[in-house]
Amino acid sequence: AVQLVESGGGLVQPGGSLRLSCAASGFTFSQDAMTWVRRPPGKRLEWVSTISGGGGQTYYADSVKGRFTIARDNTKNMLFLQLNNLKTDDTAMYYCARPRNDGWSGDNWARYYNWGQGTQVTVAV
């Protein structure tokens, strides 16, 4: 069975950094693009970033561009999200998700096969 397990969330002050990880299993990780999605408290899901299967192509939401970096280690079936210069608006539950490979998924949530349980990021003084 496919499993996605996130870790690395926590409480951090504005301007701080965190590194989120997602351990994947149950599928051929290197063949699939992977995505980070977040849900701020009381708000809808937001697409954050996507990385191609080989890692050579990355995409970011405008709200995080220049501050967040997505990466993957296909030798260890791991997905990462480096969060720098965090803002209070970045407070959210962060999920890693596995999208369908036949085109762009973005914020079309029906196009995602699998989701992790999430890891909470709280940015506060």
Side-chain angles (χ1 to χ4, degrees), residues 7-86:
S7 61
L11 173 63
V12 63
Q13 292 185 345
S17 297
L18 283 173
R19 188 193 194 208
L20 308 185
S21 300
C22 172
S25 61
F27 64 103
T28 306
F29 183 70
S30 60
Q31 293 184 358
D32 287 355
M34 292 295 294
T35 291
W36 286 98
V37 176
R38 68 185 182 185
R39 187 191 292 274
K43 296 183 180 180
R44 297 180 177 180
L45 286 170
E46 296 178 356
W47 171 77
V48 175
S49 182
T50 294
I51 187 168
S52 61
Q57 295 171 304
T58 57
Y59 309 89
Y60 297 94
D62 287 344
S63 59
V64 307
K65 200 172 294 182
R67 301 187 299 120
F68 292 7
T69 302
I70 192 170
R72 64 192 297 160
D73 183 343
N74 286 346
T75 67
K76 297 180 180 178
N77 287 6
M78 293 292 296
L79 175 71
F80 305 101
L81 187 68
Q82 178 69 39
L83 290 66
N84 294 332
N85 191 19
L86 281 160

Side-chain angles (χ1 to χ4, degrees), residues 38-41 88-94 119-123:
R38 68 185 182 185
R39 187 191 292 274
T88 54
D89 286 349
D90 296 317
T91 294
M93 185 71 79
Y94 284 72
T119 186
Q120 177 68 38
V121 172
T122 302
V123 185

